[in-house]
Amino acid sequence: MPGAPQTDNDVERAVEARYSGAARIPEEGLCCPTSYDPALLAAIPPEVLERDYGCGNPARYLRKGETVLDLGSGAGKACFLASQAVGPSGRVIGVDFNDEMLALARRHAPEFARRVGYANVEFRKGRIQDLALDLEQLERYLQEHPVRSVDELAAFEAHIARTRAAEALIASESVDAVVSNCVLNLVRPSHKRRLFTELFRVLRQGGRAIVSDIVSDRDVPKPLQRDPALWSGCVWGAFREDLLLRAFEGTGFEAVGLLERQQTPWKVVEGIEFRSVTLVAHKPAGRARAQAGGGGVAPVSCTSATAGGGRCC
C-alpha cells in the first residue's frame, strides 16, 4: 500500500501527523469517546472538549490528593478531569510528544485553573516509552550544541545519559497513579515492552496504572498493520485483549483486571472485533498496603448513557 508505514519511524510519523491535524481541526470518529460527568466538563474549555480522542475515563478511579501521570495527554481533557478528581491537594502531570497538542493544552491550562480555583496541572514533552528523557531540555541542548561531528555525537549521547540519570522527565517511584486513554496502542511496536517497564518504574510502590485502550479479539494481520489510517486511528496497533493483561503481569504488576469492557464492538474490520476496555494494574508493595491501596473498585459496565455529551462505547 503506497504511503503505508514500513518502519517504526514511519509509524511514529503517521501518528504525529494525524494528531497534529486533529489538534488544529477536530476529527470526529478518531478513537471511541465515552460519557463524562457534565459538572466536571463544565470547567474545561470548549476547544479542549472538541478534541477528545479517548476511549474511556480512567480519571473516575482516582482519589483525592494523589499525584497522577497522564500518558499521551493530548489536548489536556484527561488531565483536567484528573485535576478535579484529585483536588487541590493533588497534582497532575501530562506527557505528550506532539507540539501542537502540548501548545493547545498549555494555552487552556490557566483558564481551567481559574474556573476550578486552583492550579495543579502541568504538561511536559516526552515519549511515553521513555519517561526519563525531557525532550524540551534536549531540544535546547541541540540548539546550543549542534551535532556536526563524531565527537559532538559522543558528547550528545553522554548528555542524554546524564539527563536521564540526574534530570529525569518523570522520576522513578514519583507518582501514585498512571492513567492513559487510548494511547498505548499508538506506540511503536518495538518500544511497547519498554513502555510497560517505564510505567512500572515511575509508579510508587503500591501505586497503580489505570488504562483505557482499544483491544482486539484476535491478532491483527500484517496487511492491516500497513495501513497508516488504521494505525493512527487506534486499530492496527491495538493489543489483543488477553495479551494486554499479560503484558502488565509480565512486567511485575499484580491484581491486573478489567474495570470496564465494551460489549458491542467499536469497530469490526475484516471480522476482527475492536472494543474499548479499562483496566487496573497494581505495582506490588507490602501485602497489607497492596490490599489497602487497590482493589476495592467494583467493575463498571458500559451502557448507552450519553451524559456529558459523549457516548459510552
Side-chain angles (χ1 to χ4, degrees), residues 197-255:
T197 301
E198 282 290 86
L199 271 166
F200 194 87
R201 177 184 69 81
V202 301
L203 277 168
R204 294 179 177 132
Q205 292 185 31
R208 66 208 187 283
I210 309 164
V211 172
S212 296
D213 222 305
I214 298 296
V215 298
S216 62
D217 66 340
R218 289 187 280 135
D219 291 325
V220 180
K222 292 296 183 183
L224 288 183
Q225 295 181 14
R226 298 190 183 98
D227 186 323
L230 293 178
W231 167 262
S232 58
C234 307
V235 174
W236 91 248
F239 289 87
R240 203 177 78 198
E241 184 172 339
D242 60 322
L243 296 184
L244 177 60
L245 300 177
R246 287 187 206 171
F248 279 96
E249 292 168 343
T251 309
F253 287 92
E254 62 184 15

Side-chain angles (χ1 to χ4, degrees), residues 16 19-24 47-48 51 69-77 79-80 93-110 121-128 133-137 139 169:
E16 184 169 15
Y19 281 82
S20 290
R24 294 188 295 269
E47 189 178 12
V48 173
R51 289 156 177 81
L69 172 65
D70 178 27
L71 302 181
S73 49
K77 178 178 177 179
C79 286
F80 297 142
I93 304 165
V95 171
D96 207 292
F97 83 107
N98 186 290
D99 288 320
E100 295 192 56
M101 284 292 187
L102 281 169
L104 180 64
R106 287 168 171 169
R107 185 167 69 249
H108 288 292
V121 181
E122 64 176 297
F123 297 95
R124 302 179 185 177
K125 184 175 181 179
R127 288 185 169 87
I128 65 173
L133 189 58
D134 184 335
L135 293 184
E136 288 180 322
Q137 195 271 1
E139 288 168 347
L169 181 71

Side-chain angles (χ1 to χ4, degrees), residues 39-268:
L40 300 180
L41 295 179
I44 303 175
E47 189 178 12
V48 173
L49 297 178
E50 291 167 358
R51 289 156 177 81
D52 174 27
Y53 304 122
C55 62
N57 183 14
R60 75 177 70 185
Y61 300 105
L62 298 173
R63 306 181 186 118
K64 297 294 184 184
E66 290 189 312
T67 297
V68 178
L69 172 65
D70 178 27
L71 302 181
S73 49
K77 178 178 177 179
C79 286
F80 297 142
L81 289 170
S83 168
Q84 296 174 83
V86 302
S89 62
R91 182 185 181 196
V92 180
I93 304 165
V95 171
D96 207 292
F97 83 107
N98 186 290
D99 288 320
E100 295 192 56
M101 284 292 187
L102 281 169
L104 180 64
R106 287 168 171 169
R107 185 167 69 249
H108 288 292
E111 173 59 19
F112 169 77
R114 186 192 67 78
R115 293 182 182 187
V116 297
Y118 54 87
N120 65 349
V121 181
E122 64 176 297
F123 297 95
R124 302 179 185 177
K125 184 175 181 179
R127 288 185 169 87
I128 65 173
Q129 66 269 34
D130 188 3
L131 291 168
L133 189 58
D134 184 335
L135 293 184
E136 288 180 322
Q137 195 271 1
L138 197 62
E139 288 168 347
R140 290 192 296 271
Y141 176 89
L142 284 172
Q143 288 176 354
E144 299 174 4
H145 306 88
V147 176
R148 294 164 297 197
S149 69
V150 172
D151 287 343
E152 289 172 343
L153 176 60
F156 176 58
E157 291 171 341
H159 173 77
I160 289 177
R162 287 193 303 270
T163 299
R164 282 199 176 105
E167 303 175 54
L169 181 71
I170 306 296
S172 297
E173 298 194 346
S174 62
V175 300
D176 301 301
V178 174
V179 298
S180 75
N181 196 350
C182 209
V183 171
L184 303 192
N185 64 80
L186 298 175
V187 172
R188 300 180 183 198
S190 62
H191 287 184
K192 284 185 174 174
R193 182 184 295 267
R194 184 178 185 181
L195 166 66
F196 289 98
T197 301
E198 282 290 86
L199 271 166
F200 194 87
R201 177 184 69 81
V202 301
L203 277 168
R204 294 179 177 132
Q205 292 185 31
R208 66 208 187 283
I210 309 164
V211 172
S212 296
D213 222 305
I214 298 296
V215 298
S216 62
D217 66 340
R218 289 187 280 135
D219 291 325
V220 180
K222 292 296 183 183
L224 288 183
Q225 295 181 14
R226 298 190 183 98
D227 186 323
L230 293 178
W231 167 262
S232 58
C234 307
V235 174
W236 91 248
F239 289 87
R240 203 177 78 198
E241 184 172 339
D242 60 322
L243 296 184
L244 177 60
L245 300 177
R246 287 187 206 171
F248 279 96
E249 292 168 343
T251 309
F253 287 92
E254 62 184 15
V256 180
L258 294 181
L259 299 171
E260 302 179 33
R261 184 179 187 274
Q262 178 188 10
Q263 296 305 309
T264 303
W266 168 56
K267 282 186 179 180
V268 178

